[in-house]
Amino acid sequence: MPSTILLLLLWVGVAGHAIAQTNKRPQTTAVPANADVRPGPIIRPNANDTARVVTLQPVPDSVRVADSLRVAARPKGPIQTTVKYAAKDSIEFDIDAKIAKLYDKATVDYGDMSLKAAIITVDYNKNLMSAVGVPDSTGRTQGQPLFKQGATTYQAGKIDYNFKTRKGKIGEVVTQQGEGFVHAEVVKKNDLDEIYGRNGRYTTCNLADPHFYINTAKMKVIPGQKVITGPFNLVIGGIPTPLGLPFGYFPTPRKGRASGLIIPTFGQSADRGFFLRNGGYYWVPNQNIGVRFTGDVYSGNAETFGGFRGQAEAQYTKRYAYSGLFSFSYDQRPAQRILNPGGIQLESTAGRVYTPRTFWLSWSHTPVARPGGGRFSASVQAGSNNYNRQNNFNARNYLTPAFSSNISYSKQLRYLPINYSIQASQSQNTTTGTMDFTLPDVTVGVARQYLYSLFGLEPKGKIYEQFAVAYTLTARNRISNSIPSRVLEGGAIPLIGGTNTSQILPVKLSNINTLLRNAQTGIQHQFQISLGSYTADQVFGGLLDRVAFLKYLTVQPSINYGETWYFKRLDYSYVEEARAVRIDTVTGFNRVYNYSGGVNMGTNLYGIYQIKGKKIEAIRHKITPSLNYQYSPNFAANDAYFTLLNTGTLVNSQGLLYNQFARDDNGQPIRDRSGNLTPLTPGTLVNQLALSRYNGFAYGVPSGSRTSALTFSLQNSVEMKVRDNQDTTGTTPFKKVSLIDGFDFSTGYNFAVDSLNFAPITATFRTQVARKLNILINGNFVVYQRDSTGTLINRYLFDQPKRRLARLTTAAVQLSYQFNPTSGNKKSTVPRAVAPTNDPMLGTPIPVNPYEDYMDFTLPWELSTSFTASYIDPGTRATNLFYTRPAPLTAVALSLSGSVKLTDNLRLGYSTGYDFKNNTVTFTSLDFSRDLHCWQITGNWRPFGYTQGYYVTIAAKSALLQSLKLNRNKTFLNN
């Protein structure tokens, strides 16, 4: 036929042209779907050609010769899209059988399908494509077929694929589905991309011969969704086990997370019986939200139910906007122990009383900062006082006595110097049961505004141009379930309806009225008036021309004014019949103002010692002296702030009332000429009391005494300039090294008091050695003598026969050392991983059981240690046999924590400490982790203390098979 002859000549011409172009790069040719592809002759490469890709060109429609016998339109062929194929060795065409064979690294691309193998055969009569590998000289198969369609890849021994039906049969297949791998003896693929396997194995181990797998006779795989199996059993190390189920279901999402069941762990609780723990369902409505429903159930003993725990946890995120986590847990259990644990117990827990119903709420919301936008954030930790002690595996939460919560919204108004924030906060002490709420707390601030700009004046370099004012408004409503004791002067003055003990009111609906009645509400206005910053010669003009260095002093005056608005106050009255004081709460608007002023003067002094050595260039000493004066008037005489209560015939019968000493009309202690306090003798009339009208209110009241104080501080730092050996460019040949970060002193003198004018001297020393050892030392000194009772008297230590300048009253030393090979420029530096790649909690950022987490085996070792010691002056020596002088060292403790990689797959961690004051070992925890390739064994042991116990887990590392694990534990929750 003419068309056959023309096609044959065309194939020969193209093939000959390809053979002649021996120095050109191999090419692949796209074959149109409607091309008339016909077999051609066998094409062999030249003997000198070592790598050749032969390209095939189909016959275009424009050159087809019309057949007189074909009168109808040519039907559409089975190949629906472009076919690209290539081979390194050669391509054979059998014209009669319409079969093409591609040899050596053959590839065929058809739509979203790609096939690579040693030999690929294309049968155009049957629309069938087959691929196999070939053995090499050692008998090992080379070029095994690799079939890829979409996001799914198959490694197989033999592949048959039909172009027309889009179905395939794959033998000895291995394909990855999500985190798992599917092995099967024979696999059939339909046109819906669904896979049916026979004699299959499913595992998360990536080895050709996996350490473990789920063995099943039949399985179905829906790529990107799930793997479903029939009856299966677990095979570990090649040994079949009887562990299995009638069916298997494994989600295999292509991206992100997937919904699925969470298989619970099981075990035996020492006091609540057999349990199933942390089982439930993980639901993913979309890629931005993940919801986790889990729970525990305990069998109990006989007719007594062991209780249950339920938890709902939602994790959400929105790119470039916010992310957060919300969690709520509820637990119900018997109030008493229902099982006898038996054996020897290190701590007695038989009489422990449990709270039958507890709950805990956690919420964290973190926004992404955006210019000009509002910022909403939340951090909530609240619930029943005993929840963490009864349910939490986390030792830190178990031992922490206080939690706090805060929800806030803040915004900076665009084009205006105004910002505002609204927040609600709560603090809770799980030991005492105290809960404090601030609902709401509103703050409105106006940024610093210069007065000349407000009045529209032109800048001319005048002093007044630095005058500025800033304003802050805060409104607060504080509620507390702690009802304080009602006493006056420490209980010395009788009070009608008073009590010496505080009360904790349960937070529940029936007590809402009482809680609201005890709420403290206030509004505060603060004006910060800045008068600028000037040098001394600007302030004093030419008076300082003769003293040159005074020109470098910086002077900063300031004025502060504030007002506080309350809507109730306290009124006091003395009831003669009861010989006691009565307190009444009166509602109404009350305005309390205060003002103060001050001036600060300081400078910086530098001293440089030049060395000019090979390594050290110079040493610099920086001194920063500062002098500050503050003044505020006496507000005690203002009847709006304090009540001067006349107590009539109220007699101090014991001589120990009213703070034990006599006072003047302003409430100040009376001293004799030697500076000693005058005791309140028996029978003395307590004529007058200065009582605050706003005692315990939200913002308090101004100080009741006048302040005229001068404070002085001196800061020192020492740096060394050394040659930088890492600099190879010469741009920065030297670098600074800190020798002393700070050696600071501060003290003060109050001109408003008649005795003990000098404030204690505070000294602080801090430095860092080799960037690893941090040293912090601080102490307080007094300059006054004391009497036999330890009370300070108005005499300097310098005036006594054995003269000295000051006496140490308190001191503290903190040493901390941290080292690990994660920083530096050495070759041994190991980068620390941001997060473990395998998380057994299915994406949960707060694991229910931290012992199941995994460790980073790249770090060879870590060490962190700290030593603390504190000292308090024990006072004067004992004057009688019945007085025991306290020990000067109040705390001496050493703590150690870290980890050591014993082998490439075994790591040991530790955390411990010792209290030298009480001669006891502090919280101690030992843990280990052993990497078993696709498995991991972890354990934790706490030998003593409230959290004593152990926990051992053997689990698969993949998050997909997180429920495939074995737990053994005896923890502080079930001792």
Side-chain angles (χ1 to χ4, degrees):
M1 296 175 64
S3 60
T4 305
I5 298 173
L6 180 61
L7 179 62
L8 181 60
L9 294 175
L10 182 62
W11 282 128
V12 173
V14 171
H17 177 71
I19 295 174
Q21 302 295 329
T22 57
N23 296 326
K24 293 185 178 181
R25 295 180 58 185
Q27 298 178 352
T28 59
T29 302
V31 181
N34 58 354
D36 187 7
V37 181
R38 302 183 181 223
I42 299 177
I43 303 174
R44 296 295 184 184
N46 296 331
N48 297 329
D49 296 336
T50 57
R52 180 78 50 77
V53 173
V54 180
T55 60
L56 307 179
Q57 180 66 38
V59 179
D61 293 339
S62 60
V63 298
R64 287 179 181 168
V65 180
D67 193 340
S68 59
L69 298 178
R70 296 181 182 178
V71 295
R74 182 185 178 95
K76 190 174 182 180
I79 300 178
Q80 302 297 324
T81 185
T82 303
V83 178
K84 301 178 181 179
Y85 44 87
K88 181 180 180 181
D89 183 86
S90 62
I91 301 177
E92 291 183 356
F93 289 92
D94 188 338
I95 299 176
D96 296 332
K98 297 183 180 180
I99 296 176
K101 289 187 177 181
L102 291 77
Y103 294 93
D104 193 7
K105 296 184 179 181
T107 62
V108 175
D109 294 330
Y110 177 67
D112 63 344
M113 184 272 296
S114 175
L115 178 63
K116 297 180 180 180
I119 300 176
I120 298 179
T121 303
V122 182
D123 189 337
Y124 291 95
N125 279 329
K126 299 180 180 179
N127 300 314
L128 185 66
M129 178 174 60
S130 303
V132 295
V134 294
D136 58 11
S137 58
T138 62
R140 181 178 300 178
T141 302
Q142 300 292 333
Q144 284 189 330
L146 182 64
F147 181 81
K148 182 178 181 181
Q149 186 164 22
T152 307
T153 302
Y154 306 88
Q155 182 79 44
K158 181 179 180 181
I159 293 179
D160 294 325
Y161 181 78
N162 192 296
F163 287 105
K164 184 175 182 180
T165 62
R166 297 180 63 88
K167 296 181 181 180
K169 182 178 180 181
I170 310 173
E172 302 175 8
V173 66
V174 178
T175 178
Q176 183 174 1
Q177 299 293 325
E179 294 186 28
F181 296 88
V182 175
H183 301 242
E185 180 180 323
V186 178
V187 163
K188 291 185 178 180
K189 175 185 172 298
N190 61 18
D191 55 344
L192 300 177
D193 290 336
E194 296 176 344
I195 303 171
Y196 296 85
R198 187 182 65 184
N199 298 334
R201 298 181 294 176
Y202 182 74
T203 180
T204 58
C205 184
N206 59 0
L207 298 180
D209 187 11
H211 290 108
F212 77 98
Y213 57 87
I214 292 172
N215 186 39
T216 180
K218 297 179 180 180
M219 67 167 53
K220 178 180 179 180
V221 180
I222 302 178
Q225 297 185 25
K226 52 195 169 185
V227 175
I228 304 172
T229 72
F232 72 87
N233 70 301
L234 183 64
V235 178
I236 301 177
I239 302 175
T241 69
L243 301 177
L245 290 173
F247 66 94
Y249 176 86
F250 309 96
T252 59
R254 285 194 178 98
K255 297 181 180 179
R257 302 157 297 171
S259 302
L261 297 174
I262 302 175
I263 307 300
T265 59
F266 62 90
Q268 177 74 24
S269 175
D271 66 336
R272 301 174 67 178
F274 179 81
F275 66 78
L276 293 175
R277 180 177 293 161
N278 195 30
Y281 188 78
Y282 187 75
W283 176 48
V284 182
N286 53 57
Q287 292 301 320
N288 296 328
I289 301 176
V291 183
R292 173 190 175 99
F293 300 98
T294 56
D296 310 337
V297 62
Y298 296 83
S299 63
N301 183 25
E303 298 180 355
T304 304
F305 179 49
F308 66 91
R309 184 188 68 90
Q311 182 178 19
E313 185 178 85
Q315 184 180 5
Y316 58 90
T317 181
K318 184 177 181 181
R319 184 175 296 181
Y320 311 124
Y322 54 79
S323 62
L325 174 69
F326 179 86
S327 175
F328 178 79
S329 301
Y330 177 81
D331 175 73
Q332 180 175 326
R333 60 158 301 139
Q336 301 290 340
R337 177 182 291 273
I338 61 176
L339 288 174
N340 184 8
I344 300 176
Q345 297 294 313
L346 298 179
E347 295 184 3
S348 177
T349 58
R352 181 176 177 181
V353 179
Y354 299 92
T355 302
R357 295 177 178 85
T358 57
F359 74 94
W360 194 259
L361 175 67
S362 299
W363 180 32
S364 64
H365 180 91
T366 305
V368 176
R370 293 180 297 175
R375 178 182 175 87
F376 175 81
S377 61
S379 177
V380 177
Q381 292 285 334
S384 303
N385 292 329
N386 291 327
Y387 178 85
N388 289 309
R389 287 192 289 268
Q390 295 179 182
N391 301 281
N392 207 310
F393 285 89
N394 192 324
R396 182 179 60 183
N397 290 342
Y398 178 86
L399 299 173
T400 300
F403 296 88
S404 61
S405 305
N406 186 74
I407 302 175
S408 64
Y409 176 81
S410 60
K411 184 177 178 62
Q412 170 71 50
L413 298 183
R414 185 172 294 182
Y415 309 121
L416 290 176
I418 300 175
N419 61 83
Y420 66 89
S421 66
I422 303 174
Q423 64 178 356
S425 60
Q426 177 257 356
S427 61
Q428 175 181 3
N429 190 306
T430 58
T431 302
T432 62
T434 303
M435 299 185 70
D436 296 324
F437 303 88
T438 303
L439 304 168
D441 190 348
V442 181
T443 302
V444 179
V446 180
R448 180 182 299 177
Q449 301 296 307
Y450 289 92
L451 298 182
Y452 83 92
S453 178
L454 295 176
F455 290 106
L457 301 178
E458 294 293 333
K460 298 180 180 180
K462 302 295 184 180
I463 291 181
Y464 64 80
E465 293 177 3
Q466 297 192 42
F467 295 174
V469 61
Y471 168 75
T472 303
L473 179 144
T474 59
R476 182 179 302 167
N477 180 56
R478 189 177 65 191
I479 303 174
S480 177
N481 72 331
S482 176
I483 309 301
S485 58
R486 291 171 55 87
V487 297
L488 287 178
E489 298 297 327
I493 305 300
L495 181 65
I496 297 177
T499 175
N500 292 325
T501 59
S502 60
Q503 179 185 1
I504 303 298
L505 195 65
V507 179
K508 54 184 180 180
L509 294 177
S510 59
N511 294 328
I512 293 297
N513 292 333
T514 305
L515 293 173
L516 294 178
R517 188 167 56 250
N518 293 325
Q520 301 294 340
T521 305
I523 300 176
Q524 190 175 66
H525 310 265
Q526 290 289 339
F527 295 87
Q528 298 86 29
I529 302 174
S530 175
L531 301 180
S533 177
Y534 316 95
T535 60
D537 59 341
Q538 288 179 309
V539 177
F540 299 102
L543 298 179
L544 302 179
D545 290 342
R546 297 183 179 181
V547 187
F549 78 91
L550 293 180
K551 296 181 180 181
Y552 301 101
L553 291 176
T554 301
V555 181
Q556 294 178 319
S558 63
I559 298 176
N560 297 305
Y561 176 81
E563 285 192 11
T564 303
W565 296 349
Y566 293 122
F567 302 98
K568 60 183 178 181
R569 71 176 186 181
L570 303 178
D571 281 353
Y572 302 87
S573 60
Y574 176 69
V575 181
E576 182 66 30
E577 295 77 5
R579 300 180 63 81
V581 177
R582 174 178 176 176
I583 303 179
D584 296 315
T585 302
V586 181
T587 59
F589 177 77
N590 300 273
R591 171 175 167 267
V592 179
Y593 65 89
N594 65 87
Y595 55 87
S596 62
V599 60
N600 180 271
M601 185 166 56
T603 188
N604 291 322
L605 304 176
Y606 297 92
I608 299 179
Y609 178 70
Q610 299 288 345
I611 297 179
K612 298 295 183 180
K614 294 183 179 180
K615 182 65 176 177
I616 302 175
E617 178 73 10
I619 296 178
R620 188 182 72 171
H621 180 200
K622 179 182 177 181
I623 304 174
T624 306
S626 177
L627 197 64
N628 183 273
Y629 175 78
Q630 290 291 327
Y631 174 83
S632 62
N634 181 15
F635 295 96
N638 193 330
D639 184 62
Y641 307 155
F642 292 87
T643 295
L644 298 178
L645 182 63
N646 294 319
T647 56
T649 59
L650 184 60
V651 177
N652 175 10
S653 59
Q654 300 178 357
L656 298 175
L657 302 182
Y658 195 32
N659 288 342
Q660 302 181 3
F661 300 103
R663 296 173 177 267
D664 57 19
D665 294 340
N666 293 328
Q668 297 296 328
I670 301 175
R671 301 177 183 270
D672 56 20
R673 294 181 178 179
S674 300
N676 298 321
L677 295 172
T678 302
L680 195 63
T681 58
T684 302
L685 293 178
V686 182
N687 294 323
Q688 214 172 47
L689 294 175
L691 303 175
S692 171
R693 292 185 180 273
Y694 309 100
N695 184 31
F697 280 31
Y699 296 102
V701 293
S703 175
S705 59
R706 184 173 65 95
T707 300
S708 178
L710 182 67
T711 59
F712 172 76
S713 65
L714 183 66
Q715 299 178 355
N716 297 269
S717 63
V718 180
E719 294 179 333
M720 182 170 58
K721 191 175 183 181
V722 299
R723 192 172 299 277
D724 188 1
N725 295 329
Q726 303 297 326
D727 178 58
T728 58
T729 62
T731 56
T732 56
F734 297 97
K735 63 180 180 179
K736 295 180 181 179
V737 177
S738 177
L739 299 180
I740 299 178
D741 295 337
F743 190 25
D744 309 332
F745 301 90
S746 64
T747 186
Y749 189 90
N750 192 348
F751 298 95
V753 297
D754 56 356
S755 61
L756 304 178
N757 304 84
F758 268 108
I761 302 173
T762 301
T764 303
F765 175 83
R766 61 185 185 279
T767 188
Q768 190 179 64
V769 179
R771 297 185 180 181
K772 296 178 179 64
L773 177 62
N774 296 295
I775 302 175
L776 175 62
I777 305 174
N778 56 67
N780 294 319
F781 302 83
V782 296
V783 297
Y784 292 103
Q785 302 179 27
R786 59 188 175 188
D787 57 18
S788 59
T789 64
T791 305
L792 296 179
I793 60 177
N794 196 30
R795 294 178 183 175
Y796 296 111
L797 291 171
F798 189 79
D799 295 335
Q800 64 185 3
K802 189 178 179 180
R803 296 184 176 184
R804 53 177 174 166
L805 293 177
R807 180 180 65 255
L808 180 65
T809 56
T810 61
V813 177
Q814 296 181 9
L815 306 177
S816 62
Y817 179 82
Q818 296 178 350
F819 185 77
N820 59 64
T822 60
S823 60
N825 299 317
K826 297 181 179 180
K827 294 182 179 180
S828 60
T829 298
V830 179
R832 179 187 290 275
V834 177
T837 56
N838 295 312
D839 186 357
M841 304 314 299
L842 201 58
T844 303
I846 301 179
V848 175
N849 188 350
Y851 306 120
E852 298 174 357
D853 206 354
Y854 300 117
M855 304 182 69
D856 183 7
F857 282 89
T858 59
L859 296 177
W861 59 275
E862 290 181 291
L863 173 64
S864 176
T865 178
S866 64
F867 174 81
T868 60
S870 59
Y871 165 87
I872 294 181
D873 186 2
T876 58
R877 297 183 180 275
T879 57
N880 56 69
L881 299 177
F882 302 99
Y883 174 76
T884 302
R885 193 183 187 193
L889 293 177
T890 58
V892 181
L894 175 68
S895 64
L896 297 170
S897 63
S899 62
V900 178
K901 185 172 72 172
L902 301 180
T903 65
D904 290 340
N905 299 320
L906 178 61
R907 175 172 288 276
L908 176 66
Y910 55 90
S911 176
T912 186
Y914 190 81
D915 186 350
F916 295 94
K917 173 66 177 178
N918 301 312
N919 294 324
T920 58
V921 179
T922 58
F923 176 80
T924 299
S925 175
L926 299 175
D927 56 80
F928 70 92
S929 180
R930 178 73 165 87
D931 189 356
L932 303 174
H933 186 254
C934 52
W935 289 75
Q936 183 160 292
I937 177 172
T938 59
N940 180 273
W941 178 45
R942 297 170 184 176
F944 42 77
Y946 293 106
T947 62
Q948 64 178 352
Y950 65 86
Y951 204 106
V952 179
T953 300
I954 302 177
K957 294 173 63 176
S958 172
L960 182 63
L961 298 180
Q962 61 161 330
S963 301
L964 191 60
K965 58 189 173 185
L966 178 64
N967 295 323
R968 288 295 179 264
N969 70 87
K970 187 175 183 182
T971 68
F972 57 90
L973 292 180
N974 51 30
N975 277 337

